[in-house]
Amino acid sequence: MFIRTLSLRDFRSWEHAELELSPGRTVFLGSNGNGKTNLLEAIGYLATLGSHRVAADAPLIRLGADKARIGASVVNSGRELRIDIELNQGAANRAQINRSPARRPREILGILQTVLFAPEDLALVRGDPGERRRFMDELCTARLPRLAAVRSDYDRVLRQRSALLKSAGRQARSKTELGTLDVWDGHLATHASVLLTYRLRLVHDLYPYLAQSYAAIAPESRPAAIAYRSATLPPEFLDPAREPQPDDTEALEAIMLRELAAARPKELERGVCLVGPHRDELDLNLGEAPAKGFASHGESWSFALALRLGAFELLRATGSEPVLLLDDVFAELDRRRRTALAAVAAGAEQVLITAAVPEDVPAELAAVPLRVETSGGPDGRSPRIAEPATPSP
Ligand SMILES: Nc1ncnc2c1ncn2[C@@H]1O[C@H](COP(=O)(O)OP(=O)(O)OP(=O)(O)O)[C@@H](O)[C@H]1O
Ligand SMILES: [Mg+2]
């Protein structure tokens, strides 16, 4: 797939932008702070309904504005769809598909797929388990957009059940309260089992691509592997080589109910929900050792890169080809890793790259340069796109 047009209004530093893009490679060139990453962040938002840099939407709205808009026309196998999203300060966000209101923003998920490489990716290896849960869940949702609803239901039930555990833990518990908790256990197990099914399937499908990508980037290093980590699930479910079974969801629901019942006294004592996919994570291993805490800086970078490359290869092998977004990554990489990434990027349908200077982009990626400058606007600092510096090759 590729993005044919991108429009922004009051998104980050961009007061207004209208861009025509083509398949192949485009590089946004400009000095630090000119708004290059903001462009890729906006595109990433259309694909995931989240930013790779911040957890909340407020910083995405231009200072002084009360709403931001991002829109794009996406061409997938010859079919073009227009998606728009409006981020509102203090009110719900709204989305449109082909200019008609969508019931919920998440209905636009799946229309645009992206894989974004960014300096922040080091947190995939070095950061908290939440980073890796988000990596898994965003990739699961790219593969199956209806999982967004499951994730949101799971989060809602988790919040409500946790609140109940807190209040029931403090006072003498009534029979009704414990009965209500049983009902919430049922809801939690239902949503958790679907989420777990797709996470386990993802790890199973991703792990050969991950191992291959890592070996291509760092052939001299120990082999890389991933595995799902969960204190709730029996070990056989955690082996990435295990073939997913058609009745996995049912089996996982039964396990969840059993584990919730077993954990009940402890949960009431502590007032928190101790069982479920919100406590799980993705183990990253190099040889026998976990990457976190053991891997060198270069190995950590290679692992992060391999996770993204693996995700790209998996999506393109099993669905439609995502748009590749490369934010300032080449400057961070040594020659071998630049070459490995450039090789994948060279074969992708559309690649959007940001760089401060043209020399940061490998020569084999001959890309159409678009200059991002800051000029004009009320504060004299609104970014704008200047015409291509040189004709496309
Ligand atoms: N909500 C906002 N309103 C106005 N300006 C913002 C907002 N959020 C960020 N900015 C501005 O956007 C600019 C940063 O843009 P961006 O991160 O895209 O830069 P960049 O071109 O990628 O730079 P670098 O080369 O350093 O990565 C900063 O000047 C910042 O002040
Ligand atoms: Mg940047």
Side-chain angles (χ1 to χ4, degrees), residues 29 71 89 108 119 133 156 164 168 179 182 185 207 246 257 271 339 383 393:
L29 287 171
Q89 197 101 57
I108 69 170
R133 281 195 291 270
R156 181 177 45 80
L164 192 63
D182 285 341
D185 283 9
Y207 98 113
L257 284 171
T339 310

Side-chain angles (χ1 to χ4, degrees), residues 30-31 104 150 158 165 171 217 223 228 244 269 276 281 292 343 388:
S31 309
R104 293 211 166 89
V150 176
L158 183 64
L165 280 172
Q171 316 141 10
I217 299 165
Y228 194 71
E269 194 187 299
E281 84 133 313
K292 191 176 175 177

Side-chain angles (χ1 to χ4, degrees), residues 10-14 28-41 53 57-65 119 327-328 354-356 372 374 379 381 383:
D10 292 329
F11 182 86
R12 292 277 200 187
S13 55
W14 291 85
F28 298 107
L29 287 171
S31 309
N32 297 144
N34 275 14
K36 306 179 297 293
T37 299
N38 295 345
L39 288 172
L40 299 198
E41 187 180 36
R53 296 198 284 192
D57 288 348
L60 307 180
I61 301 173
R62 199 167 66 93
L63 290 174
D327 183 26
D328 242 346
T354 70
V372 181
T374 46
D379 55 358
R381 286 210 17 92

